[in-house]
Amino acid sequence: GELLSRFALAEERLRLERLARDGEIDRARREAERRTLAVAVVLSLVLAGALVLLALRHREARRLNALLAASGSRLEAAHAALSQRNVELQKAASTDSLTGLSNRPHALATLDDALARQRADGGALAVMLVDIDHFKAINDAHGHPAGDAVLRAVASTMASTFGNGALVARWGGEEFLVVAPGLDRAGALFHAELLRRRVRESTLPHEGDA
């Protein structure tokens, strides 16, 4: 009986030890699970915050890119407008406002360049001064608007007679300058006579008169 009692006590003690050990293991497991859950929650919150921050930065980056694109487009438009304005100003600075031909300063610069090239390569170069006959009589008889119309008509005839290879400029008043590189004396005389004949045979309507 004593042996059985001792054995029963030993068994009970072992059972209690196992229960205590199992309880500690269970508590340790629950603690580990709690810690794992806490870590998972923290990581989830960190990840969610990072995603929110990334989304905000992405949206801000898209907004900045849109602003940069719009600014770039406006800058390109402004640059194109400025370039066009510069071209217009350069053209206005070298153009006679009445006839649309080159003006005297531009003609002088072109003549200097043409003479320098002619001296360098020895090529042909024709230079002509053209004057409209009886121009004062036209102004006196028909008025200055008629005279301006005549200047524009003669300028147009000169430009079409000499073509794009030559410079035709208004020298002043009813005088014009022609600078024609590559045109020799015979060619210059031919074009001059052709111009004279075209002007002589032309008729300019003006306020019911000719």
Side-chain angles (χ1 to χ4, degrees):
E2 185 178 355
L3 288 175
L4 289 174
S5 296
R6 289 180 179 178
F7 180 77
L9 289 173
E11 285 290 325
E12 181 64 19
R13 187 167 55 251
L14 289 175
R15 187 180 69 81
L16 291 174
E17 289 177 357
R18 283 197 300 272
L19 289 175
R21 188 167 54 252
D22 291 344
E24 290 177 358
I25 293 173
D26 187 57
R27 285 194 299 272
R29 183 171 60 252
R30 287 198 300 272
E31 181 65 20
E33 290 176 351
R34 186 185 65 79
R35 290 178 179 179
T36 302
L37 181 60
V39 171
V41 170
V42 171
L43 289 178
S44 297
L45 291 175
V46 171
L47 181 59
L51 290 175
V52 170
L53 181 61
L54 182 61
L56 291 175
R57 288 186 176 180
H58 179 67
R59 186 174 66 180
E60 182 66 14
R62 290 182 60 183
R63 187 181 70 84
L64 291 176
N65 286 336
L67 289 176
L68 287 174
S71 299
S73 299
R74 288 194 295 269
L75 184 61
E76 289 179 0
H79 179 70
L82 182 60
S83 299
Q84 179 63 29
R85 183 58 178 165
N86 286 336
V87 171
E88 293 172 355
L89 289 174
Q90 290 176 359
K91 184 177 180 180
S94 61
T95 302
D96 176 64
S97 60
L98 177 63
T99 62
L101 299 177
S102 295
N103 58 20
R104 182 167 181 155
H106 184 246
L108 283 172
T110 303
L111 178 59
D112 286 342
D113 292 342
L115 289 172
R117 286 195 299 270
Q118 193 275 336
R119 285 191 292 267
D121 57 29
L125 174 64
V127 181
M128 310 177 198
L129 273 174
V130 180
D131 178 84
I132 301 177
D133 292 337
H134 313 300
F135 183 71
K136 184 177 183 301
I138 294 173
N139 276 333
D140 292 342
H142 302 282
H144 288 282
D148 290 346
V150 167
L151 288 172
R152 286 191 291 267
V154 172
S156 177
T157 303
M158 291 184 67
S160 63
T161 299
F162 289 97
N164 295 328
L167 170 80
V168 180
R170 187 180 180 191
W171 189 248
E174 71 273 23
E175 295 179 337
F176 299 86
L177 176 72
V178 179
V179 181
L183 196 62
D184 59 13
R185 181 180 179 84
L189 291 173
F190 171 80
H191 281 81
E193 174 58 21
L194 177 61
L195 173 65
R196 188 193 66 80
R197 190 166 62 249
R198 285 182 173 180
V199 172
R200 183 191 63 189
E201 295 172 355
S202 64
T203 300
L204 179 64
H206 181 72
E207 296 181 353
D209 200 358

